[in-house]
Amino acid sequence: MVDKDDDTSIKVIVRIRPFLPFESGNVNVVEALENGKTIKMDPSHASHAVGRTQFTFDATYGIDSTQAQVFTKSIRPLVSSCMEGYNATVLAYGQTGSGKTHSILGQTDQSDPNMDPGEDMSEAGVIPRALRAL
């Protein structure tokens, strides 16, 4: 399911993870704007202001995003493209504790293997959902 109007080979997607329990009380310095493509930093609370406060990506997922939303919007099209013979790679990049493992693997112990991966509201990540979609 390759988008014929899109000649971009690489897409950059940002997911902002919620605070972990031990981080409660911290100030959130990044937010995903409603357009689904821009994040905004609050330089008054950021430790290293870079001169810019807004950054645009191919897709952004805010602090309240779900595993199902990430899969449906950004991963399912890649799975469909693979079935059409195209290659696809999902690379999770970020510092330690930024949520890479959660986004890629998640928690599969409460996932229903018979449910459509885009409708499953469990915390299963990209890999188990993609395998189920195949």
Side-chain angles (χ1 to χ4, degrees):
M1 187 154 118
V2 173
D3 185 355
K4 306 299 183 216
D5 296 328
D6 187 3
D7 61 357
T8 305
S9 297
I10 297 175
K11 302 234 181 270
V12 179
I13 298 162
V14 173
R15 184 174 190 192
I16 302 167
R17 74 159 174 81
F19 288 122
L20 298 173
F22 70 89
E23 297 170 319
S24 64
N26 288 343
V27 176
N28 190 5
V29 299
V30 179
E31 69 174 307
L33 301 184
E34 289 185 26
N35 68 4
K37 294 185 178 283
T38 307
I39 62 168
K40 182 177 181 181
M41 285 183 18
D42 179 356
S44 66
H45 292 94
S47 60
H48 296 15
V50 294
R52 294 177 54 192
T53 58
Q54 290 192 18
F55 301 88
T56 303
F57 301 93
D58 293 298
T60 59
Y61 297 94
I63 202 165
D64 295 324
S65 64
T66 65
Q67 298 281 56
Q69 289 170 331
V70 173
F71 177 79
T72 299
K73 184 176 175 188
S74 295
I75 306 304
R76 187 185 294 267
L78 296 176
V79 173
S80 297
S81 293
C82 284
M83 297 308 294
E84 293 176 3
Y86 293 92
N87 293 323
T89 300
V90 175
L91 173 71
Y93 179 81
Q95 71 183 52
T96 300
S98 63
K100 300 176 300 294
T101 302
H102 175 71
S103 291
I104 296 296
L105 294 176
Q107 297 174 339
T108 58
D109 57 339
Q110 297 176 1
S111 179
D112 181 352
N114 299 314
M115 182 176 263
D116 180 273
E119 296 175 10
D120 180 2
M121 288 295 119
S122 74
E123 291 298 313
V126 166
I127 292 173
R129 289 174 190 270
L131 290 174
R132 198 174 335 150
L134 292 173

